[in-house]
Short mmCIF file of all heavy atoms in Angstrom, two decimals:
data_model
loop_
_atom_site.label_atom_id
_atom_site.label_comp_id
_atom_site.label_asym_id
_atom_site.label_seq_id
_atom_site.Cartn_x
_atom_site.Cartn_y
_atom_site.Cartn_z
N ILE A 37 -81.25 23.42 168.59
CA ILE A 37 -80.23 22.32 168.70
C ILE A 37 -79.02 22.95 169.40
O ILE A 37 -78.51 24.03 168.97
CB ILE A 37 -79.77 21.79 167.34
CG1 ILE A 37 -81.01 21.33 166.47
CG2 ILE A 37 -78.63 20.84 167.45
CD1 ILE A 37 -80.56 20.89 165.13
N CYS A 38 -78.76 22.41 170.49
CA CYS A 38 -77.58 22.83 171.34
C CYS A 38 -76.36 22.02 170.90
O CYS A 38 -76.47 20.79 171.00
CB CYS A 38 -77.82 22.74 172.84
SG CYS A 38 -79.10 23.99 173.40
N VAL A 39 -75.24 22.63 170.69
CA VAL A 39 -74.08 21.91 170.24
C VAL A 39 -72.89 22.16 171.08
O VAL A 39 -72.72 23.23 171.69
CB VAL A 39 -73.61 22.51 168.75
CG1 VAL A 39 -72.60 21.59 168.24
CG2 VAL A 39 -74.85 22.53 167.91
N ASP A 40 -72.11 21.11 171.34
CA ASP A 40 -70.90 21.20 172.12
C ASP A 40 -69.98 20.08 171.63
O ASP A 40 -70.33 19.06 171.24
CB ASP A 40 -71.25 21.02 173.61
CG ASP A 40 -70.18 21.60 174.51
OD1 ASP A 40 -69.05 21.04 174.55
OD2 ASP A 40 -70.41 22.53 175.19
N ASN A 41 -68.66 20.45 171.67
CA ASN A 41 -67.58 19.42 171.27
C ASN A 41 -67.21 18.47 172.37
O ASN A 41 -66.42 17.66 172.20
CB ASN A 41 -66.44 20.11 170.63
CG ASN A 41 -65.81 20.97 171.53
OD1 ASN A 41 -66.03 21.05 172.76
ND2 ASN A 41 -64.86 21.83 171.06
N ASP A 42 -67.89 18.66 173.53
CA ASP A 42 -67.56 17.88 174.65
C ASP A 42 -68.54 16.64 174.63
O ASP A 42 -69.72 16.71 175.05
CB ASP A 42 -67.71 18.59 176.01
CG ASP A 42 -67.42 17.80 177.25
OD1 ASP A 42 -67.35 16.51 177.14
OD2 ASP A 42 -67.10 18.39 178.18
N ALA A 43 -68.13 15.56 174.11
CA ALA A 43 -69.07 14.38 173.99
C ALA A 43 -69.60 13.89 175.21
O ALA A 43 -70.81 13.43 175.35
CB ALA A 43 -68.35 13.19 173.11
N GLY A 44 -68.83 13.90 176.29
CA GLY A 44 -69.26 13.46 177.58
C GLY A 44 -70.39 14.36 178.13
O GLY A 44 -71.42 13.76 178.69
N LYS A 45 -70.25 15.61 177.89
CA LYS A 45 -71.40 16.52 178.40
C LYS A 45 -72.65 16.29 177.62
O LYS A 45 -73.74 16.32 178.18
CB LYS A 45 -70.87 17.93 178.28
CG LYS A 45 -71.90 18.98 178.75
CD LYS A 45 -71.55 20.37 178.46
CE LYS A 45 -70.45 20.90 179.41
NZ LYS A 45 -70.15 22.35 179.18
N ILE A 46 -72.53 16.19 176.28
CA ILE A 46 -73.68 15.93 175.50
C ILE A 46 -74.38 14.61 175.85
O ILE A 46 -75.63 14.51 175.85
CB ILE A 46 -73.32 16.05 173.96
CG1 ILE A 46 -72.83 17.34 173.52
CG2 ILE A 46 -74.50 15.46 173.17
CD1 ILE A 46 -74.00 18.41 173.68
N ALA A 47 -73.53 13.52 176.12
CA ALA A 47 -74.11 12.27 176.55
C ALA A 47 -74.92 12.50 177.83
O ALA A 47 -76.03 11.84 177.91
CB ALA A 47 -72.98 11.20 176.70
N LYS A 48 -74.38 13.21 178.79
CA LYS A 48 -75.10 13.46 180.03
C LYS A 48 -76.46 14.17 179.73
O LYS A 48 -77.48 13.81 180.38
CB LYS A 48 -74.27 14.17 181.05
CG LYS A 48 -73.04 13.38 181.55
CD LYS A 48 -72.22 14.16 182.65
CE LYS A 48 -71.05 13.32 183.21
NZ LYS A 48 -70.31 14.15 184.08
N LEU A 49 -76.28 15.23 178.99
CA LEU A 49 -77.50 16.02 178.66
C LEU A 49 -78.59 15.06 178.01
O LEU A 49 -79.78 15.18 178.32
CB LEU A 49 -77.15 17.19 177.79
CG LEU A 49 -76.44 18.38 178.51
CD1 LEU A 49 -75.82 19.30 177.50
CD2 LEU A 49 -77.34 19.02 179.48
N ASN A 50 -78.22 14.27 177.19
CA ASN A 50 -79.17 13.40 176.47
C ASN A 50 -79.67 12.30 177.34
O ASN A 50 -80.66 11.59 177.05
CB ASN A 50 -78.47 12.80 175.21
CG ASN A 50 -78.48 13.77 174.09
OD1 ASN A 50 -79.38 14.61 173.87
ND2 ASN A 50 -77.42 13.69 173.25
N SER A 51 -79.00 12.07 178.49
CA SER A 51 -79.50 11.12 179.48
C SER A 51 -80.21 11.81 180.55
O SER A 51 -80.65 11.17 181.57
CB SER A 51 -78.34 10.34 180.01
OG SER A 51 -77.48 11.09 180.74
N GLY A 52 -80.44 13.13 180.46
CA GLY A 52 -81.17 13.89 181.48
C GLY A 52 -80.47 14.41 182.56
O GLY A 52 -81.01 14.96 183.51
N VAL A 53 -79.13 14.44 182.52
CA VAL A 53 -78.23 15.05 183.56
C VAL A 53 -77.86 16.46 183.21
O VAL A 53 -77.30 16.67 182.15
CB VAL A 53 -76.97 14.15 183.78
CG1 VAL A 53 -76.12 14.81 184.82
CG2 VAL A 53 -77.40 12.72 184.18
N ILE A 54 -78.21 17.48 184.11
CA ILE A 54 -77.91 18.82 183.83
C ILE A 54 -76.49 19.04 184.56
O ILE A 54 -76.34 18.87 185.79
CB ILE A 54 -79.00 19.79 184.32
CG1 ILE A 54 -80.28 19.42 183.73
CG2 ILE A 54 -78.56 21.25 184.04
CD1 ILE A 54 -80.34 19.55 182.26
N PRO A 55 -75.46 19.52 183.87
CA PRO A 55 -74.17 19.66 184.48
C PRO A 55 -73.91 20.81 185.47
O PRO A 55 -72.86 20.95 186.05
CB PRO A 55 -73.22 19.69 183.26
CG PRO A 55 -74.07 20.34 182.21
CD PRO A 55 -75.41 19.87 182.45
N ILE A 56 -74.95 21.66 185.54
CA ILE A 56 -74.90 22.79 186.43
C ILE A 56 -76.12 22.80 187.38
O ILE A 56 -77.11 22.22 186.93
CB ILE A 56 -74.80 24.18 185.84
CG1 ILE A 56 -76.03 24.43 184.83
CG2 ILE A 56 -73.54 24.19 184.96
CD1 ILE A 56 -76.19 25.82 184.32
N PHE A 57 -75.99 23.39 188.49
CA PHE A 57 -77.17 23.68 189.34
C PHE A 57 -77.80 25.04 189.05
O PHE A 57 -77.13 26.02 189.23
CB PHE A 57 -76.88 23.54 190.86
CG PHE A 57 -78.08 23.89 191.69
CD1 PHE A 57 -79.10 22.99 191.88
CD2 PHE A 57 -78.13 25.11 192.36
CE1 PHE A 57 -80.29 23.34 192.61
CE2 PHE A 57 -79.19 25.39 193.13
CZ PHE A 57 -80.36 24.56 193.25
N GLU A 58 -78.97 25.04 188.58
CA GLU A 58 -79.74 26.34 188.30
C GLU A 58 -81.23 25.93 188.64
O GLU A 58 -81.80 25.13 187.84
CB GLU A 58 -79.49 26.86 186.93
CG GLU A 58 -80.21 28.03 186.55
CD GLU A 58 -79.82 29.32 187.39
OE1 GLU A 58 -78.60 29.34 187.74
OE2 GLU A 58 -80.68 30.00 187.96
N PRO A 59 -81.90 26.68 189.49
CA PRO A 59 -83.30 26.44 189.78
C PRO A 59 -84.16 26.41 188.59
O PRO A 59 -84.02 27.30 187.77
CB PRO A 59 -83.65 27.45 190.80
CG PRO A 59 -82.28 27.75 191.40
CD PRO A 59 -81.27 27.69 190.44
N ASN A 60 -85.04 25.28 188.40
CA ASN A 60 -85.97 25.23 187.42
C ASN A 60 -85.45 24.89 186.00
O ASN A 60 -86.25 24.72 185.06
CB ASN A 60 -86.87 26.55 187.28
CG ASN A 60 -87.52 26.87 188.65
OD1 ASN A 60 -88.19 26.07 189.23
ND2 ASN A 60 -87.39 28.16 189.06
N LEU A 61 -84.16 24.73 185.89
CA LEU A 61 -83.61 24.53 184.54
C LEU A 61 -83.84 23.11 184.09
O LEU A 61 -84.29 22.79 182.94
CB LEU A 61 -82.12 24.82 184.49
CG LEU A 61 -81.31 24.45 183.07
CD1 LEU A 61 -82.01 25.32 182.07
CD2 LEU A 61 -79.91 24.80 183.27
N LYS A 62 -83.67 22.13 185.00
CA LYS A 62 -83.93 20.71 184.63
C LYS A 62 -85.35 20.51 184.16
O LYS A 62 -85.55 19.78 183.14
CB LYS A 62 -83.57 19.82 185.79
CG LYS A 62 -83.76 18.29 185.42
CD LYS A 62 -83.15 17.37 186.45
CE LYS A 62 -83.62 15.94 186.13
NZ LYS A 62 -83.21 15.44 184.82
N GLU A 63 -86.34 21.04 184.85
CA GLU A 63 -87.70 20.82 184.48
C GLU A 63 -88.00 21.45 183.11
O GLU A 63 -88.68 20.79 182.26
CB GLU A 63 -88.62 21.62 185.54
CG GLU A 63 -88.61 20.93 186.89
CD GLU A 63 -87.46 21.43 187.70
OE1 GLU A 63 -86.59 22.21 187.21
OE2 GLU A 63 -87.38 21.08 188.99
N LEU A 64 -87.42 22.59 182.75
CA LEU A 64 -87.50 23.25 181.47
C LEU A 64 -86.95 22.39 180.43
O LEU A 64 -87.45 22.20 179.30
CB LEU A 64 -86.88 24.61 181.53
CG LEU A 64 -87.29 25.59 180.44
CD1 LEU A 64 -88.67 25.98 180.64
CD2 LEU A 64 -86.34 26.84 180.53
N VAL A 65 -85.74 21.83 180.63
CA VAL A 65 -85.11 21.01 179.67
C VAL A 65 -85.76 19.68 179.46
O VAL A 65 -86.04 19.31 178.33
CB VAL A 65 -83.60 20.64 180.14
CG1 VAL A 65 -83.05 19.56 179.32
CG2 VAL A 65 -82.69 21.95 180.09
N ASP A 66 -86.22 19.12 180.56
CA ASP A 66 -86.91 17.72 180.39
C ASP A 66 -88.29 17.99 179.54
O ASP A 66 -88.55 17.14 178.69
CB ASP A 66 -87.22 17.16 181.73
CG ASP A 66 -86.06 16.65 182.50
OD1 ASP A 66 -85.02 16.53 181.81
OD2 ASP A 66 -86.06 16.40 183.66
N ARG A 67 -88.96 19.04 179.82
CA ARG A 67 -90.19 19.21 179.21
C ARG A 67 -90.04 19.43 177.63
O ARG A 67 -90.74 18.88 176.87
CB ARG A 67 -90.96 20.48 179.80
CG ARG A 67 -92.24 20.84 179.11
CD ARG A 67 -93.05 21.73 179.98
NE ARG A 67 -92.53 22.98 180.23
CZ ARG A 67 -91.96 23.44 181.36
NH1 ARG A 67 -92.06 22.54 182.45
NH2 ARG A 67 -91.49 24.62 181.53
N ASN A 68 -89.06 20.26 177.31
CA ASN A 68 -88.84 20.52 175.96
C ASN A 68 -88.19 19.37 175.09
O ASN A 68 -88.32 19.24 173.98
CB ASN A 68 -88.08 21.90 175.75
CG ASN A 68 -88.95 23.05 176.01
OD1 ASN A 68 -89.83 23.44 175.21
ND2 ASN A 68 -88.93 23.54 177.16
N ARG A 69 -87.32 18.64 175.92
CA ARG A 69 -86.83 17.38 175.22
C ARG A 69 -87.95 16.43 174.89
O ARG A 69 -87.95 15.86 173.77
CB ARG A 69 -85.75 16.70 176.04
CG ARG A 69 -84.41 17.53 176.10
CD ARG A 69 -83.37 16.72 176.90
NE ARG A 69 -82.98 15.54 176.11
CZ ARG A 69 -83.07 14.31 176.58
NH1 ARG A 69 -83.47 14.07 177.77
NH2 ARG A 69 -82.67 13.33 175.84
N ALA A 70 -88.92 16.38 175.73
CA ALA A 70 -89.96 15.50 175.52
C ALA A 70 -90.84 15.90 174.39
O ALA A 70 -91.45 15.16 173.71
CB ALA A 70 -90.85 15.30 176.86
N LEU A 71 -90.99 17.19 174.25
CA LEU A 71 -91.78 17.85 173.12
C LEU A 71 -90.95 17.66 171.81
O LEU A 71 -91.60 18.04 170.73
CB LEU A 71 -92.12 19.28 173.44
CG LEU A 71 -93.08 19.52 174.60
CD1 LEU A 71 -93.29 20.99 174.90
CD2 LEU A 71 -94.55 18.94 174.20
N GLY A 72 -89.72 17.43 171.78
CA GLY A 72 -88.98 17.51 170.56
C GLY A 72 -88.43 18.73 170.09
O GLY A 72 -87.98 18.90 169.01
N THR A 73 -88.52 19.85 171.00
CA THR A 73 -88.14 21.15 170.63
C THR A 73 -86.75 21.40 171.00
O THR A 73 -86.16 22.55 170.64
CB THR A 73 -89.13 22.26 171.14
OG1 THR A 73 -89.19 22.09 172.57
CG2 THR A 73 -90.52 22.21 170.51
N LEU A 74 -86.11 20.59 171.70
CA LEU A 74 -84.70 20.81 172.25
C LEU A 74 -83.88 19.56 172.16
O LEU A 74 -84.27 18.50 172.58
CB LEU A 74 -84.83 21.16 173.74
CG LEU A 74 -83.57 21.62 174.44
CD1 LEU A 74 -82.80 22.69 173.77
CD2 LEU A 74 -83.82 21.83 175.97
N GLU A 75 -82.78 19.80 171.43
CA GLU A 75 -81.91 18.64 171.13
C GLU A 75 -80.49 18.90 171.55
O GLU A 75 -80.15 20.12 171.58
CB GLU A 75 -81.90 18.15 169.65
CG GLU A 75 -83.22 17.76 169.10
CD GLU A 75 -83.09 17.49 167.62
OE1 GLU A 75 -82.02 17.02 167.24
OE2 GLU A 75 -84.06 17.68 166.87
N TYR A 76 -79.67 17.95 171.76
CA TYR A 76 -78.28 18.10 172.21
C TYR A 76 -77.45 17.30 171.19
O TYR A 76 -77.74 16.08 171.04
CB TYR A 76 -77.96 17.76 173.62
CG TYR A 76 -78.69 18.73 174.55
CD1 TYR A 76 -79.82 18.31 175.20
CD2 TYR A 76 -78.24 20.05 174.83
CE1 TYR A 76 -80.59 19.14 176.10
CE2 TYR A 76 -78.87 20.85 175.72
CZ TYR A 76 -80.10 20.44 176.31
OH TYR A 76 -80.76 21.20 177.18
N THR A 77 -76.34 17.86 170.73
CA THR A 77 -75.54 17.12 169.68
C THR A 77 -74.07 17.54 169.77
O THR A 77 -73.83 18.73 170.16
CB THR A 77 -76.17 17.24 168.30
OG1 THR A 77 -75.47 16.40 167.44
CG2 THR A 77 -76.13 18.72 167.79
N THR A 78 -73.17 16.76 169.22
CA THR A 78 -71.77 17.23 168.97
C THR A 78 -71.59 17.48 167.46
O THR A 78 -70.53 17.91 167.06
CB THR A 78 -70.78 16.11 169.36
OG1 THR A 78 -71.16 14.89 168.55
CG2 THR A 78 -70.95 15.81 170.82
N ASP A 79 -72.69 17.33 166.68
CA ASP A 79 -72.61 17.59 165.17
C ASP A 79 -72.79 18.98 164.85
O ASP A 79 -73.86 19.49 164.48
CB ASP A 79 -73.60 16.66 164.51
CG ASP A 79 -73.41 16.64 162.99
OD1 ASP A 79 -72.64 17.40 162.36
OD2 ASP A 79 -73.86 15.68 162.34
N THR A 80 -71.68 19.82 164.86
CA THR A 80 -71.71 21.19 164.60
C THR A 80 -72.21 21.44 163.13
O THR A 80 -72.99 22.39 162.87
CB THR A 80 -70.34 21.90 164.84
OG1 THR A 80 -69.93 21.57 166.13
CG2 THR A 80 -70.46 23.39 164.62
N LYS A 81 -71.69 20.68 162.20
CA LYS A 81 -72.02 20.87 160.79
C LYS A 81 -73.57 20.71 160.55
O LYS A 81 -74.13 21.56 159.85
CB LYS A 81 -71.30 19.76 160.07
CG LYS A 81 -71.43 19.90 158.46
CD LYS A 81 -70.54 18.89 157.73
CE LYS A 81 -70.68 19.00 156.20
NZ LYS A 81 -72.05 18.54 155.81
N ALA A 82 -74.16 19.69 161.12
CA ALA A 82 -75.61 19.48 160.90
C ALA A 82 -76.35 20.58 161.53
O ALA A 82 -77.41 21.08 160.94
CB ALA A 82 -75.93 18.18 161.55
N ALA A 83 -75.91 21.09 162.64
CA ALA A 83 -76.73 22.13 163.38
C ALA A 83 -76.61 23.43 162.54
O ALA A 83 -77.59 24.17 162.46
CB ALA A 83 -76.14 22.31 164.71
N ILE A 84 -75.49 23.75 162.02
CA ILE A 84 -75.31 25.03 161.30
C ILE A 84 -76.04 24.94 159.94
O ILE A 84 -76.70 25.86 159.49
CB ILE A 84 -73.86 25.32 161.10
CG1 ILE A 84 -73.14 25.72 162.47
CG2 ILE A 84 -73.65 26.54 160.07
CD1 ILE A 84 -71.71 25.84 162.29
N GLU A 85 -76.08 23.80 159.29
CA GLU A 85 -76.76 23.60 158.01
C GLU A 85 -78.18 23.70 158.20
O GLU A 85 -78.85 24.07 157.18
CB GLU A 85 -76.33 22.28 157.42
CG GLU A 85 -74.86 22.24 156.90
CD GLU A 85 -74.55 20.86 156.36
OE1 GLU A 85 -75.27 19.85 156.63
OE2 GLU A 85 -73.55 20.70 155.61
N SER A 86 -78.81 23.43 159.37
CA SER A 86 -80.24 23.37 159.51
C SER A 86 -80.86 24.59 160.11
O SER A 86 -82.04 24.70 160.24
CB SER A 86 -80.57 22.20 160.37
OG SER A 86 -80.08 22.21 161.64
N CYS A 87 -80.02 25.53 160.59
CA CYS A 87 -80.57 26.68 161.50
C CYS A 87 -80.80 27.92 160.67
O CYS A 87 -80.26 28.23 159.68
CB CYS A 87 -79.72 26.95 162.60
SG CYS A 87 -78.16 27.70 162.26
#
Side-chain angles (χ1 to χ4, degrees):
I37 301 177
C38 292
V39 187
D40 203 293
N41 59 11
D42 185 336
K45 181 187 287 188
I46 293 298
K48 288 182 178 179
L49 287 166
N50 282 325
S51 64
V53 177
I54 306 298
I56 61 171
F57 173 74
E58 180 62 41
N60 303 313
L61 179 59
K62 180 171 173 53
E63 294 83 354
L64 198 66
V65 168
D66 289 347
R67 180 165 61 250
N68 285 282
R69 286 187 68 237
L71 291 171
T73 55
L74 182 61
E75 300 178 29
Y76 297 102
T77 183
T78 58
D79 193 341
T80 305
K81 181 175 183 291
I84 292 172
E85 288 177 344
S86 66
C87 72

